[in-house]
Amino acid sequence: MSLQQAVKSHYASAATSGLSSGHAGVRAVAAAFGYSPGELDAIPDEANLGLSCGNPTAFASLRPGETVVDLGCGGGLDVFLAAKRVGPTGRAIGIDMTPEMLALARRNAARAGLTNVEFHQATIDRLPLMAGTVDCVISNCVINLATDKPAVFREIARVLRPGGRVALSDIALKQPLPDELRGDLAAYIGCVAGAILIDEYRAGLAAAGLADVDVIDSRADLNAYALIDGQSGCCSPAMSGPVHSASNNLPLTDTDCCAPAASIVHAGLAGLLKRYNVNDYAASVKVFAIKPGR
């Protein structure tokens, strides 16, 4: 199984987990990473799966009439918040590679009665959008999962209009990871092992042609993910066999897959936090950039 397939399998299980803002732990994770009670109450509970590492719509400065794209939209949390900000004359577009996530997002959109949203199945390094058609690109804890980050950065630059902007929440590294953490599948699925250094993030966006790049440590405590409990149970058969990292070709160990298949992502995060002080190595960051020109 490839690394991308492993990510897809784990997040498909999260999409069908039944977790939502109706669960205290899931709501607490969203609050820890910057979502207000009003924002969470304004969207369907099932749009929040407790997988955020920030709140990009809070600093994206979205305006009525704009087109915004969310890379790795999941159940639609940030798409729906963006849709409310850009209004009926604007458009909020969600991109995700996982059919189960897209099905969940579309159900949530119908439940919310939103008519200015749309969803597309694609990987974020090959966006199904025309060049120069987007005012703002947002994403929430997803780019760290991409195996070809330079391609993602180039796609962001391609679809943005001149003067368009980037507002990302993501995980980036403050220092290199030890080998045992870098080669752990739970750490990859949990958005740590696939993350790049903060300076590398800045350089990657600049190399793609974006300007005024900044990557800011939000100082959020990554241990917030431990607020989601109920992580005991049987191992999922979906992850049997070794998976190899695209970056270092090391076999990634699946040391914490023991959880209900429906919450395997959260199980991996919980196990990871028990073994490491992740805050020593990684940070929740706010990422800003602009496409030059107007």
Side-chain angles (χ1 to χ4, degrees), residues 134-137 160-166 210-211 289-294:
V134 173
D135 296 294
C136 185
V137 174
L160 281 173
R161 294 188 174 103
R165 61 200 183 280
V166 174
L210 297 168
I290 294 174
K291 183 172 181 176
R294 181 52 86 173

Side-chain angles (χ1 to χ4, degrees), residues 172-177 195-199 217 219-220 222 277-285:
L173 300 181
K174 297 184 284 189
Q175 61 174 316
L177 297 173
I196 56 178
L197 291 166
I198 289 174
D199 286 346
D217 186 345
R219 307 292 181 181
L222 298 181
N277 183 0
V278 175
N279 290 311
D280 287 345
Y281 302 100
S284 163
V285 295

